[in-house]
Amino acid sequence: MLGNFSYHNPTKLYFGENSLEYLKDELKNYGKNVLLVYGGGSIKKSGLYDDIVTILKDCGKNIAEIAGVMPNPTVEKLNEGVEIARKNKSDFILAVGGGSVCDYSKALSVSIHCNDDPWQKYYIRFEEPECEIVPVGCVLTMAGTGSEMNGGAVITNHESKLKIGHVFGDDVMPKFSILNPKYTMTLPKYQMIAGIYDIFNHICEQYFSGEDDNTSDYISEGLMRSLIHSSGIAVNDPQNYEARSNIMWTATWALNTLVAKGKSTDWMVHMLGQAVGAYTDATHGMTLAAVSLPYYRHIMPYGIKKFARFAVEVWGISKDGKSCEQLANEGLLAMEKWMKEIGLVMNITDLGVTSDMIEGIADATLILGGGYKVLNREEIIGILKSSM
Ligand code: NZQ
Ligand code: ZN
């Protein structure tokens, strides 16, 4: 375990079938003017909306709403939300939905009292908030992003064809999150599978960096094994509570700052996926799946020992006198087989990418330096072409 770090995660979690019961206790800690934020209507269909509104009314709260937060929330929607929040003097934001709703609520929390243009300040200049931050609580309905226990807030700007994430600090992380695996059971299968791969890749992004003996890697291997096991069950039996609850808990631990400790972390699959998302508005987890294998096959020679360890510890491949290279290849083949079995989208063409977009997507890909190989533009273009 190398590096110097501090560790603190301020989000309080309530997990399980009865977790919504704790909402009223939490609401006592926050202001009267609640801004209820949700997506395109799944919570109305499931009945969760009615349950939440009843609790808010019983607690004597004034309720304002922002409905229709879309998957991959946009900067226009953010600006619209700022107006609504200011008009209603909102002093608490309750996000009810998936990662998009939760991310959006965090972006809103730092924008309501901001005198600057939030997109320019947080997503172009990457500055930190100086204004008052409106507290956020979350009731999660989709497992995947880890947004329920982190400071990430990804916003898409279609006009400038950019999808950018800002990872804010402790003050922006949800004050509490309610995780009821039952809520995830109404998810369409496509979204469930995309979420599963998002979780898996969050772990990979942190695991595939560094060469030290690191506790975080052992935790990551356990999380990946649990996810592979539970995903196999959930794909065939989506109503299996045990599998869905394990997937939900793994999602939270995959990206709540724990397994990043002592790691430089990679995040290039996400940078490629986000650029594809900016051009296609495709489902986040699917954009990651579509670029992953070409990316990992490209960087494998630079991190060969870790890829060999991944094969043995995550996929159970026997060492059996094999070279690192053989093991590494077998590991990625096992991953590919699993990805196909659970039904992921395996190329960017199926997500709507055409050849004329490749240069633009490459330009929209932020290049980070924490992984095994710092890519140049030609390499990015090569990976994108191999992903078609
Ligand atoms: O809008 P509604 O009607 O609620 O429908 C949503 C949406 O269409 C639906 N859904 C969610 N829960 C449901 C449900 N449908 C039925 N039953 C339920 N229980 O699922 C669709 C997708 O929801 P969304 O919130 O967009 O998915 P996800 O949780 O994958 O969030 C994606 C966003 O999070 C960002 C992504 O870039 C993307 O913008 N990310 C956030 C991260 C973070 N905060 O750290 C990291 C991730 O890597 C990711 O970038
Ligand atoms: Zn992700």
PDB file of all heavy atoms in Angstrom, residues 39-42 69 71-73 98-100 103 106 141-142 145 147 150 152 154 163 183-184 186-188 191 198 202 255 270 274 284, ligand 1:
ATOM      1  N   GLY A  39     -36.846  11.696 -12.514  1.00  0.00           N
ATOM      2  CA  GLY A  39     -36.598  11.509 -13.944  1.00  0.00           C
ATOM      3  C   GLY A  39     -37.861  11.536 -14.791  1.00  0.00           C
ATOM      4  O   GLY A  39     -38.792  12.317 -14.553  1.00  0.00           O
ATOM      5  N   GLY A  40     -37.910  10.623 -15.741  1.00  0.00           N
ATOM      6  CA  GLY A  40     -38.964  10.665 -16.756  1.00  0.00           C
ATOM      7  C   GLY A  40     -40.260   9.976 -16.364  1.00  0.00           C
ATOM      8  O   GLY A  40     -41.153   9.841 -17.200  1.00  0.00           O
ATOM      9  N   GLY A  41     -40.401   9.531 -15.169  1.00  0.00           N
ATOM     10  CA  GLY A  41     -41.706   8.996 -14.766  1.00  0.00           C
ATOM     11  C   GLY A  41     -41.701   7.606 -14.180  1.00  0.00           C
ATOM     12  O   GLY A  41     -42.738   7.121 -13.725  1.00  0.00           O
ATOM     13  N   SER A  42     -40.541   6.921 -14.150  1.00  0.00           N
ATOM     14  CA  SER A  42     -40.545   5.552 -13.603  1.00  0.00           C
ATOM     15  C   SER A  42     -41.016   5.542 -12.149  1.00  0.00           C
ATOM     16  O   SER A  42     -41.673   4.608 -11.711  1.00  0.00           O
ATOM     17  CB  SER A  42     -39.163   4.900 -13.742  1.00  0.00           C
ATOM     18  OG  SER A  42     -38.238   5.483 -12.857  1.00  0.00           O
ATOM     19  N   VAL A  69     -35.813  14.841 -15.410  1.00  0.00           N
ATOM     20  CA  VAL A  69     -34.346  14.805 -15.562  1.00  0.00           C
ATOM     21  C   VAL A  69     -34.018  13.600 -16.439  1.00  0.00           C
ATOM     22  O   VAL A  69     -34.368  12.459 -16.118  1.00  0.00           O
ATOM     23  CB  VAL A  69     -33.638  14.698 -14.187  1.00  0.00           C
ATOM     24  CG1 VAL A  69     -32.135  14.527 -14.365  1.00  0.00           C
ATOM     25  CG2 VAL A  69     -33.948  15.929 -13.344  1.00  0.00           C
ATOM     26  N   PRO A  71     -31.791  10.801 -18.805  1.00  0.00           N
ATOM     27  CA  PRO A  71     -30.500  10.100 -18.711  1.00  0.00           C
ATOM     28  C   PRO A  71     -29.436  10.994 -19.368  1.00  0.00           C
ATOM     29  O   PRO A  71     -29.720  11.612 -20.400  1.00  0.00           O
ATOM     30  CB  PRO A  71     -30.715   8.830 -19.539  1.00  0.00           C
ATOM     31  CG  PRO A  71     -32.201   8.649 -19.594  1.00  0.00           C
ATOM     32  CD  PRO A  71     -32.795  10.024 -19.550  1.00  0.00           C
ATOM     33  N   ASN A  72     -28.276  11.104 -18.789  1.00  0.00           N
ATOM     34  CA  ASN A  72     -27.240  12.029 -19.249  1.00  0.00           C
ATOM     35  C   ASN A  72     -27.760  13.472 -19.169  1.00  0.00           C
ATOM     36  O   ASN A  72     -27.974  14.122 -20.201  1.00  0.00           O
ATOM     37  CB  ASN A  72     -26.785  11.716 -20.687  1.00  0.00           C
ATOM     38  CG  ASN A  72     -26.499  10.239 -20.892  1.00  0.00           C
ATOM     39  OD1 ASN A  72     -25.907   9.595 -20.035  1.00  0.00           O
ATOM     40  ND2 ASN A  72     -26.935   9.691 -22.009  1.00  0.00           N
ATOM     41  N   PRO A  73     -27.999  13.981 -17.977  1.00  0.00           N
ATOM     42  CA  PRO A  73     -28.643  15.293 -17.827  1.00  0.00           C
ATOM     43  C   PRO A  73     -27.865  16.413 -18.504  1.00  0.00           C
ATOM     44  O   PRO A  73     -26.624  16.400 -18.528  1.00  0.00           O
ATOM     45  CB  PRO A  73     -28.683  15.498 -16.306  1.00  0.00           C
ATOM     46  CG  PRO A  73     -27.820  14.462 -15.707  1.00  0.00           C
ATOM     47  CD  PRO A  73     -27.706  13.348 -16.684  1.00  0.00           C
ATOM     48  N   GLY A  98     -32.110   7.399 -10.588  1.00  0.00           N
ATOM     49  CA  GLY A  98     -30.820   6.762 -10.846  1.00  0.00           C
ATOM     50  C   GLY A  98     -29.672   7.767 -10.765  1.00  0.00           C
ATOM     51  O   GLY A  98     -29.825   8.874 -10.222  1.00  0.00           O
ATOM     52  N   GLY A  99     -28.548   7.384 -11.343  1.00  0.00           N
ATOM     53  CA  GLY A  99     -27.362   8.231 -11.306  1.00  0.00           C
ATOM     54  C   GLY A  99     -27.600   9.591 -11.940  1.00  0.00           C
ATOM     55  O   GLY A  99     -27.066  10.596 -11.471  1.00  0.00           O
ATOM     56  N   SER A 100     -28.411   9.631 -12.984  1.00  0.00           N
ATOM     57  CA  SER A 100     -28.639  10.917 -13.657  1.00  0.00           C
ATOM     58  C   SER A 100     -29.324  11.902 -12.723  1.00  0.00           C
ATOM     59  O   SER A 100     -28.942  13.077 -12.648  1.00  0.00           O
ATOM     60  CB  SER A 100     -29.483  10.715 -14.919  1.00  0.00           C
ATOM     61  OG  SER A 100     -28.734   9.997 -15.879  1.00  0.00           O
ATOM     62  N   ASP A 103     -26.756  12.758  -9.883  1.00  0.00           N
ATOM     63  CA  ASP A 103     -25.709  13.657 -10.396  1.00  0.00           C
ATOM     64  C   ASP A 103     -26.261  15.064 -10.609  1.00  0.00           C
ATOM     65  O   ASP A 103     -25.651  16.064 -10.230  1.00  0.00           O
ATOM     66  CB  ASP A 103     -25.222  13.170 -11.781  1.00  0.00           C
ATOM     67  CG  ASP A 103     -24.137  12.121 -11.682  1.00  0.00           C
ATOM     68  OD1 ASP A 103     -24.063  11.435 -10.656  1.00  0.00           O
ATOM     69  OD2 ASP A 103     -23.361  11.999 -12.663  1.00  0.00           O
ATOM     70  N   LYS A 106     -26.700  17.027  -7.488  1.00  0.00           N
ATOM     71  CA  LYS A 106     -25.439  17.548  -6.944  1.00  0.00           C
ATOM     72  C   LYS A 106     -24.979  18.774  -7.741  1.00  0.00           C
ATOM     73  O   LYS A 106     -24.530  19.769  -7.170  1.00  0.00           O
ATOM     74  CB  LYS A 106     -24.364  16.455  -6.961  1.00  0.00           C
ATOM     75  CG  LYS A 106     -24.554  15.422  -5.862  1.00  0.00           C
ATOM     76  CD  LYS A 106     -23.450  14.382  -5.870  1.00  0.00           C
ATOM     77  CE  LYS A 106     -23.876  13.120  -6.566  1.00  0.00           C
ATOM     78  NZ  LYS A 106     -22.841  12.085  -6.610  1.00  0.00           N
ATOM     79  N   THR A 141     -32.882   4.422  -7.314  1.00  0.00           N
ATOM     80  CA  THR A 141     -33.737   3.422  -7.975  1.00  0.00           C
ATOM     81  C   THR A 141     -32.979   2.592  -9.003  1.00  0.00           C
ATOM     82  O   THR A 141     -33.554   1.712  -9.640  1.00  0.00           O
ATOM     83  CB  THR A 141     -34.932   4.103  -8.690  1.00  0.00           C
ATOM     84  OG1 THR A 141     -34.429   4.943  -9.740  1.00  0.00           O
ATOM     85  CG2 THR A 141     -35.762   4.935  -7.720  1.00  0.00           C
ATOM     86  N   MET A 142     -31.711   2.877  -9.217  1.00  0.00           N
ATOM     87  CA  MET A 142     -30.925   2.118 -10.207  1.00  0.00           C
ATOM     88  C   MET A 142     -29.519   1.935  -9.673  1.00  0.00           C
ATOM     89  O   MET A 142     -28.921   2.882  -9.172  1.00  0.00           O
ATOM     90  CB  MET A 142     -30.928   2.902 -11.525  1.00  0.00           C
ATOM     91  CG  MET A 142     -29.767   2.634 -12.427  1.00  0.00           C
ATOM     92  SD  MET A 142     -30.209   2.562 -14.162  1.00  0.00           S
ATOM     93  CE  MET A 142     -28.666   1.955 -14.840  1.00  0.00           C
ATOM     94  N   THR A 145     -23.938   3.736 -10.959  1.00  0.00           N
ATOM     95  CA  THR A 145     -22.952   4.823 -10.973  1.00  0.00           C
ATOM     96  C   THR A 145     -22.188   5.005  -9.666  1.00  0.00           C
ATOM     97  O   THR A 145     -21.083   5.554  -9.673  1.00  0.00           O
ATOM     98  CB  THR A 145     -23.642   6.173 -11.264  1.00  0.00           C
ATOM     99  OG1 THR A 145     -24.572   6.440 -10.207  1.00  0.00           O
ATOM    100  CG2 THR A 145     -24.381   6.138 -12.579  1.00  0.00           C
ATOM    101  N   SER A 147     -23.197   7.111  -7.620  1.00  0.00           N
ATOM    102  CA  SER A 147     -23.474   8.531  -7.348  1.00  0.00           C
ATOM    103  C   SER A 147     -24.078   8.746  -5.963  1.00  0.00           C
ATOM    104  O   SER A 147     -23.953   9.817  -5.384  1.00  0.00           O
ATOM    105  CB  SER A 147     -24.426   9.063  -8.434  1.00  0.00           C
ATOM    106  OG  SER A 147     -24.578  10.445  -8.356  1.00  0.00           O
ATOM    107  N   ASN A 150     -20.911   9.331  -3.672  1.00  0.00           N
ATOM    108  CA  ASN A 150     -19.711  10.023  -4.136  1.00  0.00           C
ATOM    109  C   ASN A 150     -20.037  11.462  -4.543  1.00  0.00           C
ATOM    110  O   ASN A 150     -21.187  11.878  -4.480  1.00  0.00           O
ATOM    111  CB  ASN A 150     -19.004   9.241  -5.262  1.00  0.00           C
ATOM    112  CG  ASN A 150     -19.775   9.216  -6.575  1.00  0.00           C
ATOM    113  OD1 ASN A 150     -20.421  10.192  -6.964  1.00  0.00           O
ATOM    114  ND2 ASN A 150     -19.696   8.098  -7.280  1.00  0.00           N
ATOM    115  N   GLY A 152     -19.426  12.778  -7.578  1.00  0.00           N
ATOM    116  CA  GLY A 152     -19.460  12.911  -9.039  1.00  0.00           C
ATOM    117  C   GLY A 152     -20.763  13.528  -9.531  1.00  0.00           C
ATOM    118  O   GLY A 152     -21.833  13.247  -8.995  1.00  0.00           O
ATOM    119  N   VAL A 154     -22.036  14.303 -13.504  1.00  0.00           N
ATOM    120  CA  VAL A 154     -21.701  14.359 -14.931  1.00  0.00           C
ATOM    121  C   VAL A 154     -22.802  15.129 -15.660  1.00  0.00           C
ATOM    122  O   VAL A 154     -23.985  14.828 -15.500  1.00  0.00           O
ATOM    123  CB  VAL A 154     -21.575  12.937 -15.524  1.00  0.00           C
ATOM    124  CG1 VAL A 154     -21.165  12.997 -16.996  1.00  0.00           C
ATOM    125  CG2 VAL A 154     -20.561  12.107 -14.729  1.00  0.00           C
ATOM    126  N   LYS A 163     -19.371  15.798 -22.771  1.00  0.00           N
ATOM    127  CA  LYS A 163     -19.981  15.198 -21.590  1.00  0.00           C
ATOM    128  C   LYS A 163     -18.877  15.142 -20.548  1.00  0.00           C
ATOM    129  O   LYS A 163     -17.872  14.455 -20.744  1.00  0.00           O
ATOM    130  CB  LYS A 163     -20.500  13.790 -21.923  1.00  0.00           C
ATOM    131  CG  LYS A 163     -21.176  13.117 -20.740  1.00  0.00           C
ATOM    132  CD  LYS A 163     -21.719  11.739 -21.083  1.00  0.00           C
ATOM    133  CE  LYS A 163     -22.482  11.196 -19.883  1.00  0.00           C
ATOM    134  NZ  LYS A 163     -22.899   9.817 -20.045  1.00  0.00           N
ATOM    135  N   TYR A 183     -36.480  -1.412  -5.272  1.00  0.00           N
ATOM    136  CA  TYR A 183     -36.766  -0.328  -6.229  1.00  0.00           C
ATOM    137  C   TYR A 183     -36.096  -0.579  -7.575  1.00  0.00           C
ATOM    138  O   TYR A 183     -36.531  -0.053  -8.594  1.00  0.00           O
ATOM    139  CB  TYR A 183     -36.305   1.029  -5.688  1.00  0.00           C
ATOM    140  CG  TYR A 183     -37.017   1.496  -4.450  1.00  0.00           C
ATOM    141  CD1 TYR A 183     -36.427   2.420  -3.592  1.00  0.00           C
ATOM    142  CD2 TYR A 183     -38.287   1.017  -4.129  1.00  0.00           C
ATOM    143  CE1 TYR A 183     -37.075   2.853  -2.437  1.00  0.00           C
ATOM    144  CE2 TYR A 183     -38.935   1.440  -2.978  1.00  0.00           C
ATOM    145  CZ  TYR A 183     -38.325   2.347  -2.131  1.00  0.00           C
ATOM    146  OH  TYR A 183     -38.954   2.772  -0.999  1.00  0.00           O
ATOM    147  N   THR A 184     -35.003  -1.345  -7.573  1.00  0.00           N
ATOM    148  CA  THR A 184     -34.296  -1.554  -8.848  1.00  0.00           C
ATOM    149  C   THR A 184     -34.972  -2.631  -9.702  1.00  0.00           C
ATOM    150  O   THR A 184     -34.601  -2.830 -10.857  1.00  0.00           O
ATOM    151  CB  THR A 184     -32.820  -1.967  -8.620  1.00  0.00           C
ATOM    152  OG1 THR A 184     -32.777  -3.290  -8.043  1.00  0.00           O
ATOM    153  CG2 THR A 184     -32.093  -1.000  -7.699  1.00  0.00           C
ATOM    154  N   THR A 186     -37.845  -2.822 -11.078  1.00  0.00           N
ATOM    155  CA  THR A 186     -38.677  -2.392 -12.218  1.00  0.00           C
ATOM    156  C   THR A 186     -37.825  -1.897 -13.390  1.00  0.00           C
ATOM    157  O   THR A 186     -38.363  -1.503 -14.424  1.00  0.00           O
ATOM    158  CB  THR A 186     -39.649  -1.269 -11.782  1.00  0.00           C
ATOM    159  OG1 THR A 186     -38.892  -0.233 -11.139  1.00  0.00           O
ATOM    160  CG2 THR A 186     -40.700  -1.779 -10.810  1.00  0.00           C
ATOM    161  N   LEU A 187     -36.522  -1.908 -13.224  1.00  0.00           N
ATOM    162  CA  LEU A 187     -35.634  -1.452 -14.316  1.00  0.00           C
ATOM    163  C   LEU A 187     -35.762  -2.337 -15.548  1.00  0.00           C
ATOM    164  O   LEU A 187     -35.758  -3.566 -15.426  1.00  0.00           O
ATOM    165  CB  LEU A 187     -34.183  -1.588 -13.875  1.00  0.00           C
ATOM    166  CG  LEU A 187     -33.437  -0.433 -13.251  1.00  0.00           C
ATOM    167  CD1 LEU A 187     -32.042  -0.906 -12.882  1.00  0.00           C
ATOM    168  CD2 LEU A 187     -33.346   0.739 -14.208  1.00  0.00           C
ATOM    169  N   PRO A 188     -35.818  -1.737 -16.743  1.00  0.00           N
ATOM    170  CA  PRO A 188     -35.728  -2.571 -17.953  1.00  0.00           C
ATOM    171  C   PRO A 188     -34.393  -3.329 -17.952  1.00  0.00           C
ATOM    172  O   PRO A 188     -33.397  -2.833 -17.427  1.00  0.00           O
ATOM    173  CB  PRO A 188     -35.756  -1.546 -19.090  1.00  0.00           C
ATOM    174  CG  PRO A 188     -36.259  -0.280 -18.489  1.00  0.00           C
ATOM    175  CD  PRO A 188     -35.940  -0.310 -17.025  1.00  0.00           C
ATOM    176  N   GLN A 191     -31.188  -1.565 -18.999  1.00  0.00           N
ATOM    177  CA  GLN A 191     -30.611  -0.647 -18.004  1.00  0.00           C
ATOM    178  C   GLN A 191     -29.927  -1.422 -16.880  1.00  0.00           C
ATOM    179  O   GLN A 191     -28.882  -1.006 -16.370  1.00  0.00           O
ATOM    180  CB  GLN A 191     -31.696   0.267 -17.418  1.00  0.00           C
ATOM    181  CG  GLN A 191     -32.313   1.238 -18.411  1.00  0.00           C
ATOM    182  CD  GLN A 191     -31.320   2.280 -18.915  1.00  0.00           C
ATOM    183  OE1 GLN A 191     -30.281   2.509 -18.318  1.00  0.00           O
ATOM    184  NE2 GLN A 191     -31.634   2.891 -20.037  1.00  0.00           N
ATOM    185  N   ASP A 198     -21.297  -0.869 -15.772  1.00  0.00           N
ATOM    186  CA  ASP A 198     -20.771   0.386 -15.206  1.00  0.00           C
ATOM    187  C   ASP A 198     -20.041   0.078 -13.889  1.00  0.00           C
ATOM    188  O   ASP A 198     -18.914   0.536 -13.663  1.00  0.00           O
ATOM    189  CB  ASP A 198     -21.935   1.366 -14.983  1.00  0.00           C
ATOM    190  CG  ASP A 198     -21.465   2.783 -14.700  1.00  0.00           C
ATOM    191  OD1 ASP A 198     -20.318   3.110 -15.040  1.00  0.00           O
ATOM    192  OD2 ASP A 198     -22.264   3.568 -14.139  1.00  0.00           O
ATOM    193  N   HIS A 202     -16.077   0.575 -13.197  1.00  0.00           N
ATOM    194  CA  HIS A 202     -15.558   1.467 -12.139  1.00  0.00           C
ATOM    195  C   HIS A 202     -14.445   0.763 -11.369  1.00  0.00           C
ATOM    196  O   HIS A 202     -13.424   1.368 -11.032  1.00  0.00           O
ATOM    197  CB  HIS A 202     -16.672   1.873 -11.173  1.00  0.00           C
ATOM    198  CG  HIS A 202     -17.684   2.786 -11.799  1.00  0.00           C
ATOM    199  ND1 HIS A 202     -18.951   2.953 -11.319  1.00  0.00           N
ATOM    200  CD2 HIS A 202     -17.599   3.569 -12.904  1.00  0.00           C
ATOM    201  CE1 HIS A 202     -19.603   3.808 -12.077  1.00  0.00           C
ATOM    202  NE2 HIS A 202     -18.808   4.190 -13.055  1.00  0.00           N
ATOM    203  N   LEU A 255     -17.529   2.655  -6.240  1.00  0.00           N
ATOM    204  CA  LEU A 255     -17.152   4.048  -6.547  1.00  0.00           C
ATOM    205  C   LEU A 255     -17.567   4.995  -5.425  1.00  0.00           C
ATOM    206  O   LEU A 255     -18.258   5.975  -5.634  1.00  0.00           O
ATOM    207  CB  LEU A 255     -17.768   4.477  -7.898  1.00  0.00           C
ATOM    208  CG  LEU A 255     -17.218   5.774  -8.501  1.00  0.00           C
ATOM    209  CD1 LEU A 255     -15.705   5.778  -8.583  1.00  0.00           C
ATOM    210  CD2 LEU A 255     -17.791   6.025  -9.882  1.00  0.00           C
ATOM    211  N   HIS A 270     -13.742   5.426 -19.225  1.00  0.00           N
ATOM    212  CA  HIS A 270     -14.797   6.415 -19.005  1.00  0.00           C
ATOM    213  C   HIS A 270     -14.613   7.652 -19.876  1.00  0.00           C
ATOM    214  O   HIS A 270     -15.595   8.220 -20.354  1.00  0.00           O
ATOM    215  CB  HIS A 270     -14.866   6.791 -17.524  1.00  0.00           C
ATOM    216  CG  HIS A 270     -15.800   5.907 -16.762  1.00  0.00           C
ATOM    217  ND1 HIS A 270     -15.531   4.577 -16.559  1.00  0.00           N
ATOM    218  CD2 HIS A 270     -17.023   6.147 -16.207  1.00  0.00           C
ATOM    219  CE1 HIS A 270     -16.544   4.041 -15.893  1.00  0.00           C
ATOM    220  NE2 HIS A 270     -17.463   4.970 -15.670  1.00  0.00           N
ATOM    221  N   GLN A 274     -17.471   8.545 -22.328  1.00  0.00           N
ATOM    222  CA  GLN A 274     -18.161   9.828 -22.211  1.00  0.00           C
ATOM    223  C   GLN A 274     -18.138  10.598 -23.526  1.00  0.00           C
ATOM    224  O   GLN A 274     -19.113  11.258 -23.889  1.00  0.00           O
ATOM    225  CB  GLN A 274     -17.540  10.682 -21.098  1.00  0.00           C
ATOM    226  CG  GLN A 274     -18.070  10.284 -19.731  1.00  0.00           C
ATOM    227  CD  GLN A 274     -17.434  11.017 -18.559  1.00  0.00           C
ATOM    228  OE1 GLN A 274     -17.464  10.503 -17.451  1.00  0.00           O
ATOM    229  NE2 GLN A 274     -16.869  12.182 -18.773  1.00  0.00           N
ATOM    230  N   HIS A 284     -24.921   5.162 -20.592  1.00  0.00           N
ATOM    231  CA  HIS A 284     -23.541   5.232 -20.104  1.00  0.00           C
ATOM    232  C   HIS A 284     -22.816   3.871 -20.060  1.00  0.00           C
ATOM    233  O   HIS A 284     -21.731   3.711 -20.620  1.00  0.00           O
ATOM    234  CB  HIS A 284     -23.553   5.889 -18.713  1.00  0.00           C
ATOM    235  CG  HIS A 284     -22.245   5.856 -18.019  1.00  0.00           C
ATOM    236  ND1 HIS A 284     -21.137   6.538 -18.470  1.00  0.00           N
ATOM    237  CD2 HIS A 284     -21.846   5.187 -16.896  1.00  0.00           C
ATOM    238  CE1 HIS A 284     -20.122   6.311 -17.657  1.00  0.00           C
ATOM    239  NE2 HIS A 284     -20.521   5.495 -16.701  1.00  0.00           N
TER     240      HIS A 284
HETATM  241  O1  NZQ B   1     -36.062   8.758 -15.878  1.00  0.00           O
HETATM  242  P1  NZQ B   1     -36.764   7.566 -15.369  1.00  0.00           P
HETATM  243  O2  NZQ B   1     -38.169   7.480 -15.801  1.00  0.00           O
HETATM  244  O3  NZQ B   1     -36.618   7.395 -13.876  1.00  0.00           O
HETATM  245  O4  NZQ B   1     -36.077   6.297 -16.082  1.00  0.00           O
HETATM  246  C1  NZQ B   1     -34.713   5.954 -15.896  1.00  0.00           C
HETATM  247  C2  NZQ B   1     -33.840   6.193 -17.137  1.00  0.00           C
HETATM  248  O5  NZQ B   1     -34.596   6.133 -18.299  1.00  0.00           O
HETATM  249  C3  NZQ B   1     -34.650   4.466 -15.758  1.00  0.00           C
HETATM  250  N1  NZQ B   1     -34.842   4.013 -14.392  1.00  0.00           N
HETATM  251  C4  NZQ B   1     -34.098   4.311 -13.302  1.00  0.00           C
HETATM  252  N2  NZQ B   1     -34.555   3.633 -12.242  1.00  0.00           N
HETATM  253  C5  NZQ B   1     -35.605   2.888 -12.673  1.00  0.00           C
HETATM  254  C6  NZQ B   1     -35.795   3.149 -14.042  1.00  0.00           C
HETATM  255  N3  NZQ B   1     -36.776   2.549 -14.766  1.00  0.00           N
HETATM  256  C7  NZQ B   1     -37.575   1.694 -14.123  1.00  0.00           C
HETATM  257  N4  NZQ B   1     -37.433   1.384 -12.809  1.00  0.00           N
HETATM  258  C8  NZQ B   1     -36.462   1.953 -12.067  1.00  0.00           C
HETATM  259  N5  NZQ B   1     -36.310   1.613 -10.785  1.00  0.00           N
HETATM  260  O6  NZQ B   1     -33.357   4.089 -16.180  1.00  0.00           O
HETATM  261  C9  NZQ B   1     -32.895   5.015 -17.160  1.00  0.00           C
HETATM  262  C10 NZQ B   1     -31.476   5.354 -16.858  1.00  0.00           C
HETATM  263  O7  NZQ B   1     -31.370   6.052 -15.636  1.00  0.00           O
HETATM  264  P2  NZQ B   1     -30.052   6.887 -15.319  1.00  0.00           P
HETATM  265  O8  NZQ B   1     -30.217   7.563 -14.013  1.00  0.00           O
HETATM  266  O9  NZQ B   1     -29.693   7.731 -16.494  1.00  0.00           O
HETATM  267  O10 NZQ B   1     -28.943   5.734 -15.232  1.00  0.00           O
HETATM  268  P3  NZQ B   1     -27.594   5.658 -14.432  1.00  0.00           P
HETATM  269  O11 NZQ B   1     -27.850   5.381 -13.006  1.00  0.00           O
HETATM  270  O12 NZQ B   1     -26.749   4.730 -15.182  1.00  0.00           O
HETATM  271  O13 NZQ B   1     -26.966   7.146 -14.534  1.00  0.00           O
HETATM  272  C11 NZQ B   1     -26.260   7.553 -15.682  1.00  0.00           C
HETATM  273  C12 NZQ B   1     -25.621   8.913 -15.485  1.00  0.00           C
HETATM  274  O14 NZQ B   1     -24.672   8.900 -14.419  1.00  0.00           O
HETATM  275  C13 NZQ B   1     -23.388   9.344 -14.898  1.00  0.00           C
HETATM  276  C14 NZQ B   1     -23.437   8.917 -16.354  1.00  0.00           C
HETATM  277  O15 NZQ B   1     -22.467   9.573 -17.128  1.00  0.00           O
HETATM  278  C15 NZQ B   1     -24.841   9.306 -16.740  1.00  0.00           C
HETATM  279  O16 NZQ B   1     -24.931  10.681 -17.007  1.00  0.00           O
HETATM  280  N6  NZQ B   1     -22.309   8.782 -14.073  1.00  0.00           N
HETATM  281  C16 NZQ B   1     -22.133   9.255 -12.814  1.00  0.00           C
HETATM  282  C17 NZQ B   1     -21.059   8.881 -12.028  1.00  0.00           C
HETATM  283  C18 NZQ B   1     -20.826   9.388 -10.665  1.00  0.00           C
HETATM  284  N7  NZQ B   1     -21.692  10.172 -10.080  1.00  0.00           N
HETATM  285  O17 NZQ B   1     -19.808   9.067 -10.067  1.00  0.00           O
HETATM  286  C19 NZQ B   1     -20.042   7.945 -12.515  1.00  0.00           C
HETATM  287  C20 NZQ B   1     -20.475   7.152 -13.689  1.00  0.00           C
HETATM  288  O18 NZQ B   1     -19.336   6.651 -14.314  1.00  0.00           O
HETATM  289  C21 NZQ B   1     -21.315   7.906 -14.667  1.00  0.00           C
HETATM  290  O19 NZQ B   1     -20.499   8.681 -15.523  1.00  0.00           O
END
